[in-house]
Amino acid sequence: MRGGHAASGPAPDPNALRRNRKSDASGWRTLPPEGRAGEPPEWPLSEATDREWDLWCELWEKPQGVVWEELGQALEVALFVRTLAEAERPDARVDVKKMVRSYLDSLGLSVAGMLRNRWRIGPAAAAAAEVLPLESPPARRPSARDRLKVVSRGEGA
């Protein structure tokens, strides 16, 4: 950990040119574009409001739900849902809205959160043929070395 907290520095890039970093050993996880199948887990908090229940069901259909289920993160997702429902109110406090942003990142619901968790969503079945896989190396840009020319000195020089 550098910079004082876990989220400091740029997020990992699956298309980075340098692929020999120790931190890349764990690799990237591709989540199913169709999302998580099945019913949402049992609500772990006190009785949910209608809005919380709608959010709960909607979130568990997302691709990230597959990983949340594997990691047993129902409580974290429920706390996010409750906080999000509170943040939606017109009189919501700023600190509650900041907590929502933090949950978005930690649960992989934001772009930064997806990158930090090393998750990506696979191409949809219909579009799979048209989308280049993320594993293909990007085109190499010319370096400064490529632009240099060798100049030979003549005999008179």
Side-chain angles (χ1 to χ4, degrees):
M1 184 165 90
R2 294 155 82 179
H5 55 85
S8 64
D13 179 3
N15 295 318
L17 294 176
R18 229 175 86 218
R19 302 308 309 160
N20 60 350
R21 296 184 198 106
K22 289 180 187 175
S23 62
D24 285 346
S26 63
W28 288 77
R29 174 140 187 207
T30 302
L31 304 179
E34 64 277 1
R36 179 187 163 276
E39 295 295 315
E42 187 177 324
W43 176 257
L45 303 175
S46 59
E47 189 174 343
T49 65
D50 289 343
R51 177 62 180 150
E52 288 172 342
W53 183 251
D54 290 344
L55 288 168
W56 177 254
C57 293
E58 183 181 318
L59 285 171
W60 281 101
E61 292 175 356
K62 293 188 173 294
Q64 293 88 334
V66 172
V67 181
W68 301 336
E69 186 171 44
E70 287 175 9
L71 298 176
Q73 289 188 289
L75 180 60
E76 289 90 340
V77 177
L79 289 170
F80 167 64
V81 165
R82 183 147 284 169
T83 307
L84 178 58
E86 185 179 338
E88 289 177 336
R89 294 180 17 198
D91 61 340
R93 297 185 332 255
V94 172
D95 61 327
V96 172
K97 293 177 182 182
K98 286 182 180 180
M99 282 179 31
V100 166
R101 180 63 192 175
S102 178
Y103 276 121
L104 286 169
D105 290 342
S106 67
L107 292 172
L109 291 168
S110 66
V111 172
M114 291 276 293
L115 293 173
R116 292 208 187 283
N117 287 322
R118 295 179 184 275
W119 298 345
R120 60 182 168 215
I121 298 174
E130 301 171 20
V131 177
L132 292 176
L134 290 174
E135 289 82 20
S136 65
R140 187 175 167 268
R141 292 185 354 189
S143 68
R145 184 180 302 260
D146 293 336
R147 293 190 300 266
L148 294 175
K149 293 181 184 178
V150 176
V151 178
S152 59
R153 301 179 95 187
E155 290 182 22

